[in-house]
């Protein structure tokens, strides 16, 4: 057992401090856009000390470093914006600067070969897009989520058109990409291209207080999409937004795109919304059209909505046909799926919802086998003459109707799950696979579900639909949809029947089919990726391309991060990037491997961790810290030889995952910490001097000692603690901080040296949940706290944004007006404190003794005052480099804010753009730094080399070079 008793230095009651200057000045870029020297840098020597002097023509940002012969920074001397708030060691209010270097490196060691080094003075940080990393347009978005209440995602929606193959998929974020006939990526339709976003009708736009710019504003609880068609755009249901897709059906024809789940969304194939259809003088159709769902009393207690899963356009684009309305209910104490028995129709450019057109589009409606009746209407297609083809699954036929709905013909075929027409020859292609439904159950226990062998049957045109060949579909062996019907979309939306998908490419010669052989189940693998097959006149299908091969080569893994937590880390010794993609769901957020990326070559490899970790951090020497719930291990890297802590303890079976498949490790000496929640743990980071800042959360449900028994001592006890949140025993540490009125008893930040000795405890008293920790060479910490910034008494408009705050040890704290279990001594008169600085939900906070604050950054879903208070598993991380610069995602602005150590905003990196905005030679160049972003919550920096931005909305990591407008180097030779 280890017990630490430290006396707390009294925290003076300091006035509430806002960011430097007035509140409305906080978001203004502080540097002058003049990057020239008024006097060239010069160096003078006095023993071990070196004096560096220079002058700038304007108050721009300046960076001063000592570099070795290889160009590596050995001493980070100074960085920041000159002027009234210039950070130390710069002189304030002066363009003339004189700095002194003591001849030591960042770790305090004298540099013996100083004459081989140079002093570099740089003016004006200049970021520039370098390349996409981990971008593979063929990797599926909808990977298996695992564990209740999570789900299997539907297969991608695929539509062939004359100009290419359109593939849509969503899981919290949505993507609509175009490939050529061979599977090569061509372009992205959604997210909308940067040169088309201004033409998109019917999306929200927001004027931002930062710079009065009006930008498109994303919708939904996660603020991750413009689409209003489906689950991702929902604001009041966090689970639908986190786990859902923007659409379950898509149709593409002659420049028009229809997406549906709950509503119709109307797009154009050029990446805008559809213009001039209803009226040539009209500026275009809005993105959002009518609702397309059908009400159903599925569980005899609530009315749910049934959505179409198949769409088709009329040849002129006026009409949209909707069918395969699938739903989930109970029969004979079993969970089953069924499908409505008809086709609906709506005007694509109209405002009216769909109307019944063929059969019955009503829950509990009539089914039958007569012409015009259906038993499981599973798909629809329309030929160039306007004839409508509907696959009638349980009646073993495809029914053909005129454009007026008159029955024309039935083409017999066994269990057609999908019908497709060849656009040039008129041939009919019938795909068969198992679709579970009420009629297939039978009426007795002896009757089993109908299991259909996956086949493709080709018939002649409707005038002479004779059989012309049968092909075996290479679906996953032994896989039927039955198991997947048991997987429920938590909250009502079901994916049953969408495990498989296929599409006919009529413009290839010979014809090709695009096939998705199954939904990821139990573990994503190569089998569920898209494949392209060629159809010969007879014989077996010929594989043309397997997207799994592309994913293996470019990324090396198929799984995607749970909750899109794609945390980024840089090894400062090598400059390589490490990407941690969470593999566990539910409460324990862990990863057991990282993807190593060489930013120079783009090559990747998967690196296994010793145990399932919640977080990692690299030290300045390239060693690695690996954290689980209550222990931090220290290793050499990449050998994974343990570096025992002098103040550590032996640990066994260390792992952040409690599942049966968890990976564990035994430690000679782990650093004991604590946490009492299944949330993410806030972050940790190592400074350039080797000190480690760690965020810890108290155990939920802990009751601190009564006020009368509290002292100014803080205590760290180790014992066996019951975690009320996870309902199990854990290796526990119980931390009792100093209490004061208004203190939130939830989060603390502690600083340890390289031996594991405590340097500072409770650096930011009263902090709430946080989204990243940065520590500078002086042990000041910057945190991204969840409360939203208040500007002149008004909360920043986006309550999901958080606030950067910088604290010096023992000089700042947060106090809250809350009255709940987390505030043990309530404030008696909060009104006397004046206007609050930040707000979380409906609770006001005042920040005292803080160096500076900067708001409007990140995504902090637990701030929500709607959707049952948030509880979002999506989040964000900011980062800090060795110059003390903070890189903070302004996710809703499509940018990353860069601030110096004094809180001066240096610049912003990026602007709106999809993946086709990737440098000056890309499909849609942007100008400026050429960094296009859509939804970018995670960042990492390699000081003065690169900034990495995880842009999950574009499914890529943007590598951004960090250069300067003007640089001078002075040799450290005393000639």
């Amino acid at each position: 057992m280890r017990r630490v008793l430290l006396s707390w230095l009294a925290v003076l009651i300091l006035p509430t401090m806002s960011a430097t200057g007035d509140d409305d000045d906080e978001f203004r870029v502080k540097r002058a856009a003049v990057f020239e020297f008024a006097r060239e840098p010069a160096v003078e020597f006095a023993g071990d000390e070196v004096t560096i002097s220079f002058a700038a023509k304007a108050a721009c940002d300046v960076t001063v470093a000592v570099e070795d012969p290889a160009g590596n920074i050995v001493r980070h001397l100074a960085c920041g914006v000159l002027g009234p708030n210039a950070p130390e060691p710069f002189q304030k209010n002066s363009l003339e600067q004189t700095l002194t270097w003591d001849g030591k490196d960042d770790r305090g060691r004298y540099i013996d070969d100083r004459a081989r080094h140079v002093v570099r003075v740089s003016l004006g940080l200049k970021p520039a897009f370098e390349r996409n990393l981990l971008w593979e347009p063929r990797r599926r978005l909808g990977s298996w989520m695992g564990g209740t209440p999570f789900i299997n995602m539907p297969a991608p929606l695929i539509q062939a058109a004359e100009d290419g193959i359109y593939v849509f998929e969503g899981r919290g974020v949505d993507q609509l990409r175009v490939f050529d006939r061979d599977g090569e990526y061509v372009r992205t339709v959604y997210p909308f291209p940067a040169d088309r976003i201004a033409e998109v009708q019917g999306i929200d736009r927001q004027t931002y207080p930062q710079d009065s710019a009006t930008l498109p504003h994303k919708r939904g609880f996660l603020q991750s999409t413009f689409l209003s068609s489906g689950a991702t755009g929902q604001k009041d249901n966090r689970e639908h937004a986190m786990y859902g897709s923007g659409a379950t059906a898509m149709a593409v024809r002659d420049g028009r795109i229809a997406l549906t789940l709950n509503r119709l969304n109307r797009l154009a194939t050029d990446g805008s919304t559809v213009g001039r259809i209803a009226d040539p003088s009209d500026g275009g159709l809005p993105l959002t059209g009518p609702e397309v769902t059908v009400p159903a009393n599925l569980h005899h207690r609530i009315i749910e909505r049934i959505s179409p899963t198949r769409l088709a356009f009329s040849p002129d684009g006026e009409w949209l046909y909707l069918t395969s309305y699938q739903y989930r209910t109970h029969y004979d104490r079993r969970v089953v799926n069924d499908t409505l028995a008809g086709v609906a129709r709506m005007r694509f450019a109209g405002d009216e919802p769909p109307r019944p057109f063929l059969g019955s589009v009503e829950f509990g409606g009539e089914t039958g086998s007569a012409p015009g009746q259906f038993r499981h209407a599973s798909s629809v297609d329309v030929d160039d003459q306007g004839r409508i083809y509907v696959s009638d699954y349980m009646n073993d036929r495809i029914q053909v109707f005129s454009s007026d709905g008159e029955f024309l013909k039935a083409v017999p075929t066994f269990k057609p799950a999908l019908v497709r027409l060849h656009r040039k020859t008129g041939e009919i292609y019938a795909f068969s696979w198992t679709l579970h439904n009420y009629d297939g159950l039978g009426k007795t226990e002896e009757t089993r579900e109908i299991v259909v062998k996956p086949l493709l049957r080709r018939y002649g045109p409707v005038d002479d639909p004779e059989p012309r060949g049968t092909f075996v579909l290479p679906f996953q062996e032994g896989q039927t949809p039955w198991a997947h019907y048991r997987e429920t979309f938590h909250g009502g939306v079901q994916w049953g029947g969408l495990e498989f998908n296929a599409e006919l490419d009529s413009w290839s010669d010979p014809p090709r089919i695009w096939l998705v052989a199954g939904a990821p189940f139990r573990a994503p693998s190569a089998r569920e990726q898209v494949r392209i097959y060629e159809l010969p006149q007879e014989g077996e299908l010929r594989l043309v391309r397997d997207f799994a091969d592309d994913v293996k080569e470019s990324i090396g893994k198929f799984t995607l991060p749970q909750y899109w937590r794609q945390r980024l880390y840089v090894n400062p010794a090598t400059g390589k990037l490490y990407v941690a993609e969470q593999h566990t769901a539910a409460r324990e957020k862990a990863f057991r491997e990282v993807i190593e990326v060489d930013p120079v070559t783009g090559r990747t490899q998967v690196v296994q961790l010793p145990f399932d970790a919640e977080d990692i951090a690299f030290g300045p020497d390239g060693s690695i810290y690996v954290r689980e719930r209550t222990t931090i291990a220290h290793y050499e890297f990449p050998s994974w030889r343990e570096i025992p802590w002098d103040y550590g303890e032996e640990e066994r079976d260390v792992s952040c995952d409690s599942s049966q498949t968890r990976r564990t490790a035994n430690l000679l000496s782990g650093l004991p910490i604590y946490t009492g929640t299944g949330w993410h743990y806030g972050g940790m980071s190592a400074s350039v001097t080797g000190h480690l800042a760690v965020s810890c959360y108290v155990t939920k449900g802990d009751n601190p000692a009564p006020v009368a028994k509290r002292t100014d001592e803080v205590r760290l006890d180790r014992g066996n603690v019951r975690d009320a949140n996870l309902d199990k025993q854990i290796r526990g540490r119980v931390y009792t901080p100093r209490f004061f009125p208004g203190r939130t008893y939830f989060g603390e930040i502690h600083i340890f040296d390289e031996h594991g000795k405590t340097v500072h405890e409770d650096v930011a008293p009263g902090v709430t949940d946080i989204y990243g920790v940065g520590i500078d060479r002086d042990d000041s910490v910057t945190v991204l706290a969840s409360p939203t910034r208040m500007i002149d008494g008004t909360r920043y408009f986006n309550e999901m944004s958080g606030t950067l705050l910088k604290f010096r040890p023992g000089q700042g704290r947060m106090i809250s007006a809350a009255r709940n279990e987390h505030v043990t001594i309530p404030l008696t008169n909060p009104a006397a404190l004046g206007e609050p600085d930040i707000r979380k939900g409906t609770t006001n906070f005042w920040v005292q003794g803080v160096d500076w604050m900067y708001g409007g950054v990140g995504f902090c879903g637990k701030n929500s005052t709607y959707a049952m208070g948030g509880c979002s598993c999506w989040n964000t991380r900011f980062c800090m480099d060795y110059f003390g610069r903070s890189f903070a995602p302004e996710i809703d602005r499509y940018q990353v804010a860069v601030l110096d150590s004094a809180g001066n905003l240096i610049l912003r990196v990026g602007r709106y753009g999809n993946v086709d905005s990737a440098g000056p030679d890309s499909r849609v160049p942007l100008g400026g730094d050429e960094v296009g972003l859509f939804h970018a919550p995670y960042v990492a920096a390699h000081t003065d080399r690169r900034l990495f931005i995880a842009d999950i909305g574009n499914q890529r990591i943007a590598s951004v070079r960090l250069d300067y407008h003007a640089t001078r180097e002075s040799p450290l030779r005393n000639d």
Side-chain angles (χ1 to χ4, degrees):
M1 178 181 292
R2 174 174 175 257
R3 188 178 184 87
V4 178
L5 296 177
L6 293 177
S7 61
W8 176 264
L9 296 176
V11 179
L12 297 177
I13 304 301
L14 298 173
T16 300
M17 294 181 63
S18 300
T20 302
D22 297 332
D23 284 350
D24 57 4
D25 187 57
E26 180 172 315
F27 296 129
R28 182 176 58 84
V29 172
K30 304 303 189 300
R31 73 173 185 179
V34 177
F35 311 112
E36 299 178 36
F37 288 97
R39 178 166 53 84
E40 294 291 315
V43 296
E44 297 180 0
F45 303 91
D48 290 328
E49 288 192 348
V50 177
T51 300
I52 304 110
S53 62
F54 63 91
K57 285 188 176 181
C60 62
D61 60 303
V62 181
T63 301
V64 185
V66 179
E67 295 182 341
D68 67 13
N72 300 310
I73 301 175
V74 297
R75 181 65 181 270
H76 298 75
L77 281 175
C79 181
V81 178
L82 302 182
N85 191 41
E88 297 178 352
F90 290 128
Q91 295 84 50
K92 297 183 186 299
N93 295 306
S94 178
L95 301 181
E96 297 270 352
Q97 294 292 325
T98 300
L99 307 175
T100 300
W101 175 47
D102 59 6
K104 298 179 181 179
D105 66 11
D106 284 319
R107 303 299 296 274
R109 300 165 297 201
Y110 280 104
I111 296 176
D112 295 330
D113 56 346
R114 187 178 71 182
R116 300 180 63 220
H117 290 62
V118 298
V119 169
R120 172 173 61 84
V121 182
S122 300
L123 306 182
L125 184 65
K126 184 181 178 182
F129 179 86
E130 183 180 32
R131 67 187 305 165
N132 287 327
L133 301 173
L134 282 191
W135 181 64
E136 178 46 71
R138 301 166 193 85
R139 183 163 75 151
R140 288 193 54 184
L141 273 68
S143 67
W144 175 70
M145 293 290 290
T148 305
F150 309 112
I151 60 164
N152 300 307
M153 299 303 298
L157 309 177
I158 307 175
Q159 284 278 293
E162 188 170 3
D163 63 336
I165 313 299
Y166 290 73
V167 180
F168 176 91
E169 195 169 17
R171 179 171 67 98
V173 295
D174 301 306
Q175 291 279 324
L176 177 51
R177 298 162 174 156
V178 183
F179 298 87
D180 69 13
R181 324 225 87 81
D182 296 322
E184 291 293 332
Y185 171 82
V186 176
R187 57 190 171 88
T188 291
V189 174
Y190 180 86
F192 302 111
D195 60 350
R196 290 286 183 265
I197 187 67
E199 303 171 16
V200 175
Q201 302 296 313
I203 61 174
D204 294 334
R205 302 182 189 273
Q206 174 70 40
T207 299
Y208 285 79
Q210 285 89 336
D211 50 12
S212 298
T214 300
L215 303 173
H217 187 63
K218 291 170 289 185
R219 62 180 295 125
F221 176 77
L222 300 173
Q223 302 176 1
S224 63
T225 189
F226 295 130
L227 300 182
S228 56
S229 49
T232 51
Q234 293 187 14
K235 181 176 180 179
D236 295 324
N237 192 313
R238 63 179 187 266
E239 290 163 335
H240 282 196
M242 285 195 290
Y243 314 137
S245 174
T248 52
M250 176 174 68
V252 180
R253 193 156 188 163
D254 295 334
R256 303 170 181 84
I257 302 172
L259 294 173
T260 64
L261 194 160
N262 299 323
R263 307 187 73 89
L264 169 65
N265 273 187
R266 299 172 285 216
L267 293 78
T269 55
D270 67 356
S272 64
T273 43
V274 182
R276 295 181 299 278
I277 288 181
D279 184 340
S281 64
D282 189 3
L285 294 172
L287 174 68
T288 302
E291 185 172 346
V292 297
T293 60
V294 173
N297 184 2
L298 297 184
H299 300 99
H300 308 291
R301 57 185 184 274
I302 58 174
I303 301 298
E304 299 186 47
R305 313 296 300 187
I306 306 174
S307 302
T309 60
R310 297 292 179 185
L311 306 176
F313 274 110
S314 61
D316 58 6
E318 179 180 0
W319 293 101
L320 187 65
Y321 299 94
L322 309 87
T323 194
S324 192
Y325 284 83
Q326 301 182 12
Y327 61 90
R328 179 183 180 92
T329 186
H330 298 273
Y331 172 74
D332 287 346
R333 289 183 260 177
R334 303 182 66 181
V335 177
V336 300
N337 279 64
D338 208 346
T339 304
L340 300 185
V343 178
R345 187 175 74 162
M346 66 185 302
R347 291 189 183 276
F348 179 68
D351 297 324
E352 295 295 323
R355 303 292 185 187
F357 182 67
L358 301 171
S360 174
V361 188
E362 181 181 355
F363 180 69
E366 182 181 5
T367 66
S369 302
Q373 292 184 322
F374 301 91
R375 294 167 61 217
H376 196 137
S378 56
S379 71
V380 61
D381 204 352
V382 183
D383 66 18
D384 290 341
Q385 285 72 47
R387 290 173 296 207
I388 304 155
Y389 299 68
V390 184
S391 53
D392 189 2
Y393 186 80
M394 290 305 297
N395 282 325
D396 296 327
R397 64 186 179 183
I398 295 170
Q399 296 196 68
V400 186
F401 301 86
S402 70
S403 59
D404 295 328
E406 178 186 357
F407 175 79
L408 299 178
K409 181 177 292 188
V411 180
T413 187
F414 183 72
K415 298 296 177 287
L418 175 66
V419 59
R420 283 291 177 258
L421 304 175
H422 196 287
R423 296 298 178 200
K424 294 182 178 180
T425 66
E427 290 179 310
I428 303 170
Y429 288 72
F431 296 83
S432 296
W433 57 71
T434 301
L435 290 178
H436 191 64
N437 61 89
Y438 178 89
D439 287 329
L441 279 175
K443 304 299 182 182
T444 66
E445 293 183 1
E446 291 77 15
T447 303
R448 295 172 176 255
E449 296 79 36
I450 297 172
V451 178
V452 179
K453 183 177 182 179
L455 294 174
L456 167 60
R457 297 177 177 89
R458 184 167 63 187
Y459 299 91
V462 65
D463 295 334
D464 185 19
E466 77 285 357
R468 293 186 176 179
T470 299
F471 304 90
V472 176
L473 295 176
F475 281 13
Q476 182 175 328
E477 183 179 356
Q479 178 174 351
T480 68
W482 171 241
H484 303 295
Y485 283 99
R486 299 178 186 270
E487 296 292 325
T488 306
F489 190 114
H490 191 66
V493 177
Q494 317 301 333
W495 301 132
L498 297 177
E499 296 82 14
F500 309 129
N501 201 7
E503 175 66 355
L504 171 67
D505 178 9
S506 304
W507 291 269
S508 294
D509 188 17
R512 291 177 175 180
I513 62 168
W514 289 51
L515 188 69
V516 186
F521 187 63
R522 300 302 177 200
S525 69
R527 294 177 298 184
E528 296 87 19
Q529 306 301 311
V530 176
R531 298 174 189 166
I532 307 172
Y533 291 91
E534 192 172 87
L535 277 70
Q537 289 298 318
E538 57 184 23
E540 297 182 353
L541 300 177
R542 185 182 73 84
L543 180 64
V544 174
R545 187 168 195 161
D546 188 341
F547 281 17
D549 295 336
D550 299 284
V551 178
K552 286 179 185 177
E553 181 178 353
S554 60
I555 297 180
K557 59 181 293 189
F558 297 99
T559 55
L560 293 124
Q562 304 293 337
Y563 312 117
W564 289 117
R565 292 190 183 182
Q566 197 172 47
R567 292 186 189 163
L568 307 183
Y569 308 88
V570 175
N571 184 342
T574 64
K576 290 185 177 179
L577 173 69
Y578 293 84
V579 183
E581 298 187 331
Q582 179 184 316
H583 75 271
T584 58
R587 295 186 176 95
E588 293 177 317
K589 282 65 176 185
F591 54 92
R592 65 182 49 160
E593 63 188 19
V594 291
I595 305 174
E596 179 187 86
V597 185
D598 186 332
V600 177
T601 65
R603 294 194 183 98
T604 66
Q605 66 171 338
V606 177
V607 177
Q608 301 299 321
L609 302 182
F611 56 86
D612 294 314
E614 195 281 330
D615 208 351
I616 62 173
F618 282 97
D621 58 354
S623 63
I624 188 171
Y625 302 93
V626 185
R627 174 182 183 167
E628 59 96 49
R629 292 173 56 81
T630 59
T631 304
I632 298 175
H634 192 192
Y635 294 98
E636 293 178 354
F637 187 80
S639 69
W640 296 112
R641 179 178 177 271
E642 186 182 352
I643 304 173
W645 299 93
D646 294 346
Y647 290 78
E649 298 177 359
E650 184 178 359
E651 297 280 6
R652 299 190 62 81
D653 297 327
V654 171
S655 178
C656 190
D657 187 357
S658 64
S659 71
Q660 293 181 348
T661 60
R662 66 185 178 274
R663 178 179 297 168
T664 65
N666 298 327
L667 302 178
L668 295 173
S669 177
L671 182 66
I673 54 172
Y674 61 94
T675 189
T677 175
W679 295 4
H680 66 102
Y681 300 152
M684 64 178 183
S685 65
S687 72
V688 70
T689 63
H691 285 186
L692 184 68
V694 181
S695 167
C696 298
Y697 293 154
V698 302
T699 303
K700 282 187 174 180
D702 276 356
N703 292 315
V707 175
K709 296 184 179 180
R710 292 177 196 154
T711 70
D712 283 346
E713 291 180 324
V714 294
R715 305 166 70 93
L716 179 63
D717 298 334
R718 182 179 179 196
N720 196 22
V721 176
R722 183 129 190 121
D723 188 316
N725 188 50
L726 297 178
D727 193 28
K728 66 178 182 180
Q729 298 291 124
I730 62 171
R731 285 185 303 273
R733 280 85 176 166
V734 180
Y735 180 77
T736 304
R738 178 182 180 271
F739 290 91
F740 47 80
R743 180 190 176 121
T744 298
Y745 181 42
F746 185 79
E748 293 92 23
I749 299 171
H750 310 296
I751 300 176
F752 305 91
D753 67 12
E754 61 268 32
H755 306 291
K757 181 181 178 180
T758 303
V759 178
H760 300 286
E761 290 201 5
D762 206 10
V763 178
V767 72
T768 60
D769 52 309
I770 63 176
Y771 298 80
V773 177
I775 177 173
D776 67 16
R777 64 182 309 111
D778 300 319
D779 287 345
S780 293
V781 298
T782 302
V783 301
L784 200 173
S786 62
T788 305
R789 189 74 168 98
M790 301 286 286
I791 305 295
D792 295 329
T794 301
R795 184 179 63 190
Y796 181 74
F797 79 93
N798 186 353
E799 69 175 314
M800 296 299 204
S801 66
T803 304
L804 278 181
L805 307 103
K806 182 179 179 180
F807 294 91
R808 302 188 187 196
Q811 295 189 25
R813 65 183 187 178
M814 286 174 54
I815 55 178
S816 165
R819 293 179 177 270
N820 56 39
E821 70 275 16
H822 295 302
V823 179
T824 58
I825 309 176
L827 290 173
T828 56
N829 186 18
L833 296 172
E835 295 286 356
D837 297 298
I838 51 180
R839 178 182 295 170
K840 178 180 173 66
T842 58
T843 301
N844 291 326
F845 290 82
W846 292 261
V847 189
Q848 299 179 328
V850 68
D851 270 18
W852 52 265
M853 292 180 280
Y854 182 84
V857 294
F859 174 85
C860 310
K862 291 178 171 56
N863 292 354
S864 173
T865 55
Y866 50 86
M868 296 180 287
C871 196
S872 169
C873 294
W874 283 40
N875 49 58
T876 186
R877 283 287 176 91
F878 91 105
C879 73
M880 181 186 288
D881 72 2
Y882 285 161
F883 280 117
R885 289 180 296 206
S886 295
F887 297 81
E890 293 182 324
I891 301 174
D892 59 345
R893 286 178 51 87
Y894 320 99
Q895 293 180 316
V896 175
V898 185
L899 300 98
D900 69 16
S901 60
N904 299 305
L905 180 62
I906 300 173
L907 54 75
R908 294 184 174 95
V909 178
R911 56 178 288 190
Y912 176 86
N914 68 18
V915 74
D916 293 333
S917 294
D921 298 325
S922 61
R923 183 182 182 89
V924 186
L926 298 172
D929 58 30
E930 295 286 0
V931 179
L933 301 174
F934 182 66
H935 191 84
Y938 296 96
V939 293
H942 183 204
T943 306
D944 265 14
R945 295 294 183 267
R946 290 179 175 89
L947 170 67
F948 301 100
I949 308 172
D951 184 9
I952 63 175
N954 283 318
Q955 293 296 290
R956 65 169 170 189
I957 296 172
S959 178
V960 181
R961 289 287 301 175
L962 298 179
D963 203 347
Y964 292 91
H965 287 271
T967 292
R968 301 290 187 272
E969 293 181 351
S970 301
L972 288 172
R973 296 191 306 268
N974 190 4
D975 296 333

